Amino acid sequence: MSNQNRTMFGGRIDRGQVINFVFNGKNYKGFHGDTLASALLANDVHLVGRSFKYHRARGILTAGSEEPNAIVQLGLGARTEPNMRATEIELYEGLEAASQNCWPSVNYDVGSLNNILSSIFPAGFYYKTFKWPPSLWLFYEHFIRKAAGLGYSPTAKNPDRYEQKFYYCDLTIVGGGISGLLSALAAGRSGCSVLLIDENPELGGYLLDYNFSINEKDGLKWIKNIVDELYSMDNVRILKRTTAMGYYDYNYLTALEKVTNHCDQLSKTTPRERYWRVRSKKIVLAQGAFERPLVFADNDRPGIMMASAGKKYLSRYGVLPGKSVVLFTNNDHAYQTAFEFNDKGAKISVIDTRENIDIRIQNKCEDLGIKLYSSFSIISTKGNKKVNQIEVQKVDRKQNELSGECITLDVDCILMSGGWNPAVQLFSQSRGKLKYDKVLNTFVPDKLIQDQIIIGCNNGCFDLSKNLNHSYQEGLNAAKDLNYEVADNINWKGEEEISFTESSVEPYMLGKKKVTKGSKHFIDFQNDVTAADIFLAQREGYISVEHTKRYTTTGMGTDQGKTSNVNALALMSHIHEKPVDEIGHTTFRPPFSPQTFGAIAGRSVDHLFDPERRTSIHKWHEENNAVFEDVGQWKRPYYFPKKNENIHDAVKRECLAVRNSLGMLDASTLGKIDLRGPDTAKFLNMIYTNAWSKLEIGSCRYGLMCNEHGMIFDDGVTTRLGDDHYHMTTTTGGAARVMSWLEEFLQTEWLDMEVFCTSVTEQWTVLSISGPNSRKFLQELTDIDLSKENFPFMKFREGKVCGIDSRVFRISFTGELSFEVNVPSRYGRFVWEQFMHHGKKYNITPYGTETMHVLRAEKGFIIVGQDTDGSVTPMDMNMDWIVSKKKQDFLGKRSFTRSDTLRSDRKKFVGLLVNDKKTVLPEGSHIVEKALKQPPMKMLGHVTSSYYSPILGHPIALAMIKNGMNLLGEKVEIPLMNGKVIEATISDTVFYDKEGNKNNE
Amino acid sequence: MFVIKCPYCGERDQTEFSCHGEAHIARPDNPAEVSDEEWGEYLFFRNNPKGIHFERWTHDHGCRRWFNVMRDTVSDKIIRTYKMGDQKPGVQDV
Ligand SMILES: [Zn+2]
């Protein structure tokens, strides 16, 4: 295998386990423990992608989740995922990945023409160019999106499973570096329930890359002991490969665990990812810090990377990314990388922007033969697909200008370090306040808002021993706060060769472009934002950070500016000659890293997206070819087609069967509420618009409910079963709403009323039989006397039906003689089948919701939510008859005398008959007085219900029309979407059996 | 997302609850006698304070009881929860 950049020894990879993978169609080999990035570097692949806007060649900048450049399309087919960071992808056998943003290939990219033409693509280019005319935006957008590249989404359905987990604990610790480990250890030893989250596959953080001793023990061994101890504690749970994504109020944290993403074979039983929703009493943030890039000319070429990343590739993966290397730094800490590279055989020189460098470092460089350029800057870089040459020049600090001769160096790798930025993203999301630290030249945590603790480098402290002691102490403190018996304190001492805090970090900024020359000085690598763009934004008046961000798009990539934000702010501060504090910073928002929608959705997909409710007869409907309709969460039979029947044939047959003989509807989905208590009648009087005091036991009454605005919101029949006992029915979709409505008034307004409401919707199966033969038919199956005299319309009787104790209501929604038979749900299907069997001689016909709609429309019965829309009073529906004049008060009454509800030109409920006797008007159609070629024209209202009536042989419609009751017999017009205009005549709302004799037979 | 202390069940996640707007808006005893303006006030007008807010919540996926919440809209801290019919806490109780 090639792996030409692999060191002979070292690293935490398993050299015995070779892994084959494919990048951009070519086969490579790496080792178990590699990331895609480390394996590519080992194979001397530096060019891994093209930049977003200019399509410039880009390499690997970092070695972690902050990576802006090396983002790839991972996997194939339905599992492909865009914008994945090569620096985070663990290598697995057969992995396939490809560069994004390039066509036809990363080596020959047509879009790189943008780079040559870049003078016409400054910040705000799109805003300026594609602003006018607005009508062309969609046209422009198509090309812009295509040119912008990014990855692509899979087009096939995701085959993977995602889980969600709710979790509660005392302490959640974000970050498994040395600080996080020590807090976990202290809290764990004290008995707290601890959740430790880390985004990496291995705990230990940067100690894994910078091996130093702690309490005189080898760092790596020290980590192992702590991790072993943590794993041995039952009260500590450790989640590796888990990224904390969002930190919300009340210490609510979301985290994405990559469970099997790193495996070559996905398990059938284990989810791909698990989304954690964690609520903890305290949260410890120990996320560490990100190294800050330096801004210099053409600082984006492949081969240029962060110093700490270089160190990580070398120490953890045994990869030497270059042989002729320069370190470009403004601080001491990065020298550790230089020494390590030197030790592993690279030729290294150091360009340090500072004048005064610690004498010990100077001496060590001299001892090792490392050439040190003090107070120098890189002023240009060369190399098309990888950096191969740089120019450096002395910086005159006083004049802030370049001086002296220009020195050219041949290099194959630049390591840069501009200092460290604490990873304050989650802290800031949690509403924690930041302040600017002038020594570190970055934002650090200032004020804590929630019950949280922030420790280690994350807190802006880079002193190793201090951090060790503070972290352990804070773990103990948390335990103490939570009333645990606290474990013993321990004194920790760490020895780092070069500490970050002992040295100064120089605020290195190009001074009005004087200290550097050359073309592009990148601030935001992912979004291709340069220093010149920031300058331009300020010149054009986008001075607020939020404006600069949006105008230049800095910090708006999938990396959310983890490497770029502070440099952009520092540059703004430099331009305005104002402290960075006064420039401020933009808001950090979740998620911390890109996350899959699959994980957020979890198991709530497909049929589990929303609960599905089925009646006890559902299976029979399925077996008998029912077509289903969703009504709320219910599945209801829409119609029952026989062979070769379409919906029209089936509905016609079903309608005629009811009108001429016998039909049966599964009405179980109607909401049913059992009301009990001495004040029930009084309560119903307040809830319904009509009077309930005199309803006798065994009688049913139709009622209309209004809200306090006087608008209809539900209807149904309520029956008095006993002295203080009522059975209320509601619409199918309104059941839950009505139940809440009743409870609201009982619990918040009329606390003294004694009424108990119980939902019994699912306890009863309702078989509604309807048609002229319904009495004859049902009498054969029941011991209840169904005669007209004994069981009149709007009455209720109890008895046996098919041997089952039943409640029978004589009510009708079809206008025909009807009985609603309620049986306990477990007998629902049995009784239904008995009815089907015994009803054969009457041609008993099961019908669905469409036939129900047609039959009720023929009678002008309203459907709340279809004929009404929440802005309709009972009077608008000509239902004055149901509004009590005698009752002093009921919900909605006072609003009937508001000026708006009294308006004489309100829309009224009317019938509509098309003059051509053929056209079934589309529901929702607008009704006008006279259709004109184009608006405006005089609008009268709209069609609410419209069907073909089989019994009448012509279409019928219901409508809301302004002042409609005074327009009966008038002609109106309905312009259709296809340009046709239909004429219709306004009628009353009852089309069939106007006298209403049929249901009284 | 809040943790809300239901006066009947104890602390639960916000996902179990829903909010129903401002609390302590009494329905007029005799609506027929109030003016249009007063009725409109009852129907439509609500406070939207920066600071202490009293609001009605229900524990939908729990005991289904209604109760009141005293919340600071600036910090989003829930200061107190109490049963319907209980005395409205004064701001000085904070
Ligand atoms: Zn509760």
Side-chain angles (χ1 to χ4, degrees):
Chain A
M1 60 186 283
S2 63
N3 273 260
Q4 60 265 49
N5 291 342
R6 197 75 74 170
T7 55
M8 291 294 287
F9 310 100
R12 302 179 68 73
I13 42 169
D14 178 359
R15 292 180 191 243
Q17 211 178 321
V18 175
I19 292 179
N20 298 289
F21 70 100
V22 178
F23 183 68
N24 284 340
K26 267 182 81 175
N27 294 306
Y28 297 96
K29 288 179 198 300
F31 294 121
H32 183 76
D34 261 327
T35 60
L36 176 59
S38 68
L40 287 171
L41 288 172
N43 285 284
D44 208 34
V45 177
H46 292 267
L47 171 55
V48 295
R50 290 275 172 177
S51 73
F52 177 69
K53 191 160 132 194
Y54 303 123
H55 291 242
R56 286 167 71 104
R58 287 285 166 82
I60 294 159
L61 183 74
T62 73
S65 60
E66 72 271 36
E67 177 62 32
N69 281 342
I71 53 175
V72 299
Q73 184 84 32
L74 179 67
L76 303 170
R79 287 204 165 91
T80 190
E81 221 178 320
N83 303 321
M84 299 297 288
R85 292 151 302 285
T87 49
E88 283 191 299
I89 301 167
E90 289 175 64
L91 213 57
Y92 54 83
E93 184 64 30
L95 178 150
E96 290 209 33
S99 300
Q100 295 181 172
N101 290 355
C102 54
W103 185 84
S105 82
V106 71
N107 278 301
Y108 306 97
D109 177 44
V110 172
S112 58
L113 208 59
N114 285 1
N115 189 28
I116 298 160
L117 301 176
S118 68
S119 60
I120 66 164
F121 288 116
F125 167 75
Y126 292 129
Y127 299 134
K128 289 168 184 164
T129 312
F130 298 118
K131 202 168 169 186
W132 304 105
S135 60
L136 279 184
W137 167 247
L138 288 176
F139 172 78
Y140 294 138
E141 190 191 21
H142 176 73
F143 289 98
I144 292 170
R145 294 245 182 267
K146 207 167 175 177
L150 289 179
Y152 60 90
S153 310
T155 48
K157 189 174 147 61
N158 191 320
D160 300 315
R161 213 180 75 208
Y162 300 83
E163 298 272 357
Q164 297 216 345
K165 171 104 180 153
F166 290 82
Y167 198 75
Y168 298 84
C169 59
D170 290 329
L171 204 60
T172 298
I173 298 171
V174 185
I178 42 179
S179 299
L181 287 173
L182 279 178
S183 271
L185 192 65
R189 282 175 175 175
S190 308
C192 292
S193 60
V194 175
L195 180 70
L196 176 63
I197 294 174
D198 191 89
E199 60 180 350
N200 298 295
E202 197 177 1
L203 298 171
Y206 96 131
L207 181 52
L208 297 172
D209 311 325
Y210 296 77
N211 188 13
F212 39 74
S213 62
I214 294 174
N215 286 6
E216 285 157 21
K217 206 170 190 170
D218 171 71
L220 298 176
K221 279 188 197 138
W222 182 82
I223 292 178
K224 189 177 178 309
N225 287 343
I226 288 181
V227 170
D228 286 350
E229 185 178 342
L230 288 173
Y231 270 108
S232 74
M233 294 181 191
D234 291 337
N235 53 326
V236 176
R237 181 149 191 181
I238 299 173
L239 297 175
K240 294 193 289 189
R241 301 185 175 91
T242 304
T243 307
M245 292 296 186
Y247 188 157
Y248 307 87
D249 278 339
Y250 290 69
N251 273 347
Y252 177 61
L253 191 94
T254 57
L256 183 72
E257 180 187 10
K258 300 201 165 182
V259 186
T260 55
N261 297 51
H262 62 289
C263 305
D264 51 356
Q265 296 217 321
L266 290 175
S267 156
K268 279 217 169 70
T269 49
T270 313
R272 181 163 184 259
E273 293 177 351
R274 192 178 283 127
Y275 192 59
W276 290 73
R277 304 168 70 162
V278 183
R279 189 83 78 163
S280 32
K281 293 185 182 130
K282 287 172 184 290
I283 291 181
V284 178
L285 295 174
Q287 294 177 282
F290 294 122
E291 201 172 15
R292 186 161 68 232
L294 286 166
V295 182
F296 54 96
D298 295 326
N299 55 346
D300 66 326
R301 296 188 194 280
I304 303 178
M305 64 171 65
M306 305 309 308
S308 59
K311 182 84 168 73
K312 184 169 178 180
Y313 288 119
L314 193 48
S315 309
R316 208 182 291 195
Y317 305 106
V319 173
L320 191 62
K323 301 201 169 49
S324 283
V325 184
V326 293
L327 170 70
F328 187 21
T329 183
N330 66 354
N331 62 79
D332 290 354
H333 185 260
Y335 279 83
Q336 293 182 73
T337 305
F339 300 153
E340 174 94 7
F341 268 64
N342 180 72
D343 189 46
K344 292 289 181 337
K347 181 179 156 291
I348 184 150
S349 352
V350 178
I351 319 291
D352 196 319
T353 65
R354 298 170 303 172
E355 242 170 347
N356 304 315
I357 300 165
D358 190 322
I359 188 71
R360 287 169 298 177
I361 287 178
Q362 291 190 37
N363 289 343
K364 183 155 184 181
C365 286
E366 207 173 313
D367 290 350
L368 297 172
I370 296 171
K371 171 84 182 144
L372 175 54
Y373 297 87
S374 175
S375 195
F376 263 69
S377 174
I378 296 179
I379 56 166
S380 80
T381 69
K382 290 204 173 64
N384 197 8
K385 287 168 193 166
K386 188 184 172 193
V387 64
N388 55 28
Q389 204 176 59
I390 60 171
E391 284 180 298
V392 301
Q393 203 174 0
K394 186 124 183 135
V395 181
D396 182 328
R397 313 302 307 179
K398 293 213 178 68
Q399 302 297 318
N400 206 14
E401 267 175 5
L402 297 166
S403 68
E405 66 164 328
C406 217
I407 303 164
T408 303
L409 300 172
D410 288 332
V411 301
D412 59 3
C413 178
I414 301 174
L415 303 167
M416 61 174 161
S417 177
W420 291 85
N421 300 329
V424 293
Q425 286 81 356
L426 281 191
F427 175 73
S428 182
Q429 283 180 27
S430 78
R431 299 211 250 182
K433 298 278 173 290
L434 304 175
K435 64 170 185 231
Y436 193 76
D437 183 310
K438 289 191 182 76
V439 177
L440 297 169
N441 285 297
T442 190
F443 280 98
V444 297
D446 185 14
K447 266 199 216 91
L448 307 174
I449 300 293
Q450 300 203 33
D451 197 348
Q452 61 194 179
I453 302 150
I454 187 157
I455 55 175
C457 305
N458 207 173
N459 194 29
C461 175
F462 291 85
D463 182 308
L464 178 61
S465 290
K466 237 189 216 171
N467 280 343
L468 293 168
N469 287 304
H470 181 242
S471 301
Y472 196 77
Q473 185 62 54
E474 286 294 355
L476 297 178
N477 292 349
K480 193 177 165 209
D481 274 6
L482 298 169
N483 297 321
Y484 286 93
E485 206 169 302
V486 174
D488 290 338
N489 201 357
I490 294 173
N491 193 32
W492 302 95
K493 193 165 164 36
E495 278 150 50
E496 214 175 356
E497 190 183 352
I498 301 170
S499 160
F500 183 69
T501 29
E502 280 172 22
S503 70
S504 61
V505 187
E506 185 171 82
Y508 173 76
M509 260 305 139
L510 46 154
K512 310 256 182 202
K513 286 172 141 181
K514 276 183 200 159
V515 295
T516 176
K517 65 174 192 183
S519 47
K520 286 194 165 42
H521 309 66
F522 283 94
I523 299 265
D524 184 320
F525 295 93
Q526 188 167 102
N527 269 359
D528 266 357
V529 179
T530 65
D533 291 329
I534 307 282
F535 276 97
L536 178 74
Q538 311 313 305
R539 279 203 305 279
E540 297 195 342
Y542 296 91
I543 291 165
S544 131
V545 269
E546 298 288 357
H547 287 155
T548 300
K549 170 179 170 174
R550 280 153 188 84
Y551 194 58
T552 62
T553 74
T554 189
M556 288 171 71
T558 60
D559 64 336
Q560 289 287 287
K562 292 190 185 74
T563 53
S564 62
N565 285 338
V566 175
N567 279 339
L569 299 173
L571 181 55
M572 287 176 70
S573 132
H574 184 87
I575 295 168
H576 296 295
E577 293 173 354
K578 261 191 201 170
V580 184
D581 290 274
E582 286 178 32
I583 299 292
H585 60 86
T586 55
T587 313
F588 296 96
R589 294 195 175 84
F592 174 79
S593 270
Q595 70 181 68
T596 54
F597 284 109
I600 297 171
R603 296 295 290 274
S604 301
V605 290
D606 298 328
H607 67 288
L608 296 177
F609 177 67
D610 201 28
E612 209 172 81
R613 300 175 78 182
R614 298 166 172 194
T615 75
S616 62
I617 314 169
H618 187 86
K619 275 263 180 276
W620 188 94
H621 300 324
E622 275 182 350
E623 289 157 20
N624 287 274
N625 207 27
V627 174
F628 288 92
E629 176 187 33
D630 289 338
V631 183
Q633 290 171 329
W634 286 102
K635 293 279 170 198
R636 296 196 72 177
Y638 188 24
Y639 57 99
F640 291 88
K642 291 198 163 160
K643 237 193 215 162
N644 302 328
E645 270 186 347
N646 61 22
I647 179 169
H648 304 293
D649 303 333
V651 169
K652 186 174 172 187
R653 174 178 51 74
E654 291 171 14
C655 284
L656 292 174
V658 176
R659 291 275 179 242
N660 296 326
S661 178
L662 184 59
M664 177 158 67
L665 174 79
D666 178 0
S668 310
T669 63
L670 278 182
K672 294 176 274 297
I673 299 170
D674 185 89
L675 299 160
R676 282 172 200 246
D679 297 312
T680 310
K682 194 171 142 199
F683 179 58
L684 291 174
N685 268 334
M686 287 303 293
I687 291 290
Y688 281 124
T689 59
N690 47 348
W692 291 79
S693 313
K694 288 184 184 140
L695 187 70
E696 289 165 14
I697 294 172
S699 286
C700 317
R701 183 164 288 171
Y702 174 76
L704 211 51
M705 287 183 198
C706 289
N707 59 23
E708 283 282 50
H709 300 179
M711 304 301 160
I712 296 173
F713 100 97
D714 209 80
D715 69 345
V717 171
T718 291
T719 302
R720 188 168 178 192
L721 304 177
D723 259 349
D724 295 335
H725 190 192
Y726 291 77
H727 176 86
M728 174 185 281
T729 64
T730 73
T731 59
T732 295
R737 199 163 48 234
V738 172
M739 184 72 186
S740 299
W741 180 246
L742 302 182
E743 284 294 340
E744 176 179 349
F745 281 91
L746 287 172
Q747 290 189 37
T748 70
E749 285 294 342
W750 306 315
L751 276 70
D752 53 337
M753 276 199 197
E754 234 178 287
V755 182
F756 298 95
C757 308
T758 312
S759 166
V760 292
T761 302
E762 295 182 358
Q763 276 60 38
W764 297 100
T765 289
V766 181
L767 299 81
S768 175
I769 55 166
S770 192
N773 283 321
S774 55
R775 179 182 287 130
K776 230 195 293 177
F777 158 74
L778 188 60
Q779 193 62 79
E780 293 164 16
L781 300 171
T782 181
D783 58 4
I784 305 169
D785 176 0
L786 300 182
S787 67
K788 195 174 173 178
E789 300 70 37
N790 182 60
F791 196 171
F793 185 52
M794 293 308 271
K795 293 291 170 190
F796 155 79
R797 297 288 180 265
E798 279 179 300
K800 298 235 186 252
V801 176
C802 298
I804 308 297
D805 287 326
S806 306
R807 292 174 173 180
V808 181
F809 300 81
R810 203 186 141 189
I811 53 181
S812 174
F813 197 41
T814 61
E816 298 295 333
L817 181 64
S818 297
F819 297 89
E820 285 196 356
V821 181
N822 286 232
V823 299
S825 279
R826 61 187 175 281
Y827 299 114
R829 179 163 178 176
F830 167 74
V831 177
W832 178 277
E833 285 183 339
Q834 291 291 308
F835 280 14
M836 286 306 295
H837 179 72
H838 291 285
K840 268 185 196 144
K841 58 184 161 188
Y842 302 108
N843 183 32
I844 190 167
T845 302
Y847 66 92
T849 50
E850 184 61 10
T851 292
M852 175 187 86
H853 281 161
V854 175
L855 297 173
R856 66 88 202 177
E858 288 170 344
K859 291 292 297 171
F861 296 147
I862 65 164
I863 289 192
V864 172
Q866 174 165 343
D867 298 299
T868 72
D869 62 2
S871 70
V872 173
T873 68
M875 284 62 79
D876 295 339
M877 301 306 281
N878 313 315
M879 293 172 87
D880 311 51
W881 54 271
I882 204 170
V883 178
S884 164
K885 304 281 181 296
K886 285 186 198 143
K887 284 198 293 184
Q888 246 210 340
D889 190 14
F890 56 84
L891 297 182
K893 179 180 167 80
R894 177 62 184 80
S895 287
F896 294 154
T897 51
R898 285 177 54 226
S899 56
D900 185 60
T901 36
L902 285 175
R903 258 189 309 120
S904 59
D905 64 342
R906 288 181 68 88
K907 287 181 185 174
K908 294 274 181 178
F909 191 51
V910 293
L912 210 53
L913 292 164
V914 289
N915 292 354
D916 68 5
K917 305 250 177 216
K918 283 199 316 253
T919 310
V920 179
L921 294 168
E923 285 170 359
S925 295
H926 284 287
I927 300 163
V928 300
E929 199 174 68
K930 182 81 195 144
L932 306 177
K933 279 231 162 54
Q934 60 183 40
M937 47 193 124
K938 196 171 174 201
M939 315 273 291
L940 295 177
H942 63 277
V943 177
T944 61
S945 294
S946 174
Y947 312 93
Y948 175 79
S949 164
I951 193 78
L952 300 171
H954 61 75
I956 54 168
L958 297 166
M960 294 300 293
I961 291 187
K962 235 181 239 177
N963 194 24
M965 288 313 283
N966 294 323
L967 298 176
L968 296 181
E970 300 278 329
K971 199 195 81 178
V972 292
E973 294 189 341
I974 298 99
L976 301 184
M977 291 290 280
N978 63 12
K980 265 192 174 169
V981 176
I982 306 296
E983 281 184 6
T985 305
I986 299 175
S987 71
D988 67 85
T989 52
V990 184
F991 301 99
Y992 180 70
D993 184 27
K994 281 189 197 280
E995 302 73 32
N997 293 329
K998 300 218 173 242
N999 62 14
N1000 276 325
E1001 269 169 27
Chain B
M1 202 160 51
F2 304 152
V3 173
I4 299 171
K5 187 178 173 191
C6 168
Y8 304 93
C9 307
E11 286 190 348
R12 295 289 190 278
D13 200 275
Q14 188 186 334
T15 47
E16 295 185 11
F17 298 84
S18 41
C19 181
H20 303 271
E22 192 178 350
H24 300 292
I25 294 178
R27 188 174 189 272
D29 281 339
N30 194 347
E33 283 170 9
V34 302
S35 67
D36 274 5
E37 202 177 335
E38 287 165 312
W39 187 247
E41 189 75 28
Y42 159 67
L43 280 186
F44 303 117
F45 288 86
R46 296 295 180 267
N47 283 318
N48 184 19
K50 181 178 178 181
I52 303 298
H53 191 231
F54 297 90
E55 50 204 20
R56 305 190 304 166
W57 287 73
T58 46
H59 193 187
D60 301 322
H61 304 284
C63 62
R64 295 193 59 86
R65 299 296 293 266
W66 289 68
F67 60 93
N68 288 329
V69 168
M70 181 190 193
R71 180 173 66 94
D72 186 331
T73 60
V74 178
S75 66
D76 256 352
K77 282 264 173 332
I78 290 175
I79 297 151
R80 189 167 298 178
T81 60
Y82 53 101
K83 294 176 181 176
M84 283 292 162
D86 283 359
Q87 177 91 43
K88 176 178 176 177
V91 176
Q92 70 278 1
D93 295 348
V94 177

